Amino acid sequence: MKKITVIILALALALAPSCKNQKNKKVVKEVEKTEISEKEKNLTEELKANLKNLAESAKQLKTIAFIQKKSDGSFTLTEDEKLVKPDYLVNPAVVDELVTLSQKYRCWTMLGVDKMVCELYDMPVTEYESAIARLIADLNDPAIDSFAGIDWNVDETVKAELDKFVDAEYSAGRAPFMWDAVAASLVEQMYVITRNIDLFMPLFDDQSAADFTYNFVTVHERILDLMEFYPEMENLNDALLPLYVINAITADQLKSQLMELKGEIEIVREFLLN
């Protein structure tokens, strides 16, 4: 019995340091966990603050009507011009092939641009409307639900709603997708212009040409800013690199630069859809 007691006592003495170590390790782990949680909290708050600042800078985007109206509020093609229907627009059926959110955000705005072109030529827009509605439903993005219904003919309304859209997307952590959409819209507008430059460029005066350039520069800057937080945006930035040389401040300069970049614009457009 005494022998058994000695053995138990010896085991207890041997295990005691181990138990103590386990307890100490547990305390250390709890401290480390608390420190990590605090660090994550601080980083999250810092991210929110930075994104809020970036959201404010995103509101620098100019409101530009892709197809600007005349002084009487109208813009129409001649009957002869309407006879040559555009065959370069995005096929609405492409929505069946889209997989990622980035693709869907991009396609949403590209189809929106092409729908406007269809309306100019008195072409049916039912398929475009259906495809856009389907994308909006798939994205399930409240910010888009609100933004999609604005009147694009009233600049003040567009600017106010654009600011709300930016805030909502940044708050929801969808800033990269917002810039996917904005960049795709600009690229699609460039693409359409280069398909019939003599028809569409007269719609630009020097101010709207400078604003167009300003918006593209803004897209570049904001993508670079966000890459720190969303590394996946590097692919979008790399795709747009050939177009960052655009620096036009007059309509003539913009026309010249778009024609020089015609091939690159087509390649970038294909990337955005795939």
Side-chain angles (χ1 to χ4, degrees), residues 35-158:
E35 288 177 349
I36 292 173
S37 297
E38 188 65 25
K39 184 177 181 181
E40 288 177 346
K41 181 180 177 181
N42 291 336
L43 287 174
T44 299
E45 292 305 315
E46 182 180 349
L47 175 60
K48 286 181 180 178
N50 287 332
L51 290 181
K52 184 176 181 180
N53 291 333
L54 291 176
E56 289 302 314
S57 63
K59 294 176 186 177
Q60 296 170 1
L61 285 168
K62 307 286 186 181
T63 56
I64 306 171
F66 165 54
I67 299 172
Q68 295 191 6
K69 294 190 173 183
K70 297 179 181 179
S71 57
D72 64 356
S74 66
F75 173 75
T76 57
L77 300 179
T78 66
E79 291 306 314
D80 286 342
E81 288 169 336
K82 289 180 182 179
L83 290 176
V84 185
K85 306 297 185 185
D87 59 359
Y88 48 78
L89 304 179
V90 176
N91 185 341
V94 74
V95 299
D96 294 329
E97 304 169 9
L98 304 179
V99 178
T100 68
L101 283 175
S102 286
Q103 290 175 327
K104 293 180 180 181
Y105 274 87
R106 295 168 186 171
C107 192
W108 164 54
T109 54
M110 295 170 82
L111 289 176
V113 170
D114 289 358
K115 175 177 173 288
M116 294 173 65
V117 177
C118 284
E119 291 170 340
L120 273 181
Y121 284 89
D122 293 335
M123 295 167 62
V125 295
T126 303
E127 290 185 4
Y128 282 87
E129 291 174 340
S130 297
I132 291 170
R134 177 178 166 185
L135 282 174
I136 292 175
D138 286 347
L139 293 172
N140 191 28
D141 185 340
I144 284 183
D145 294 340
S146 175
F147 190 65
I150 68 174
D151 183 356
W152 286 90
N153 295 320
V154 183
D155 285 348
E156 294 78 9
T157 299
V158 174

Side-chain angles (χ1 to χ4, degrees), residues 217-272:
V217 171
T218 300
V219 167
H220 186 196
E221 291 176 345
R222 297 296 79 80
I223 289 176
L224 290 177
D225 288 338
L226 285 171
M227 278 168 55
E228 177 183 354
F229 309 106
Y230 304 99
E232 66 273 18
M233 294 187 72
E234 184 174 356
N235 288 335
L236 176 61
N237 184 63
D238 289 345
L240 296 173
L241 277 178
L243 308 186
Y244 288 146
V245 297
I246 294 174
N247 60 359
I249 58 174
T250 68
D252 286 342
Q253 288 176 352
L254 182 60
K255 178 179 179 179
S256 176
Q257 291 176 11
L258 291 182
M259 287 309 297
E260 288 177 5
L261 293 167
K262 184 176 180 179
E264 284 81 356
I265 292 170
E266 187 169 357
I267 292 172
V268 172
R269 181 183 188 251
E270 285 299 313
F271 168 84
L272 294 175

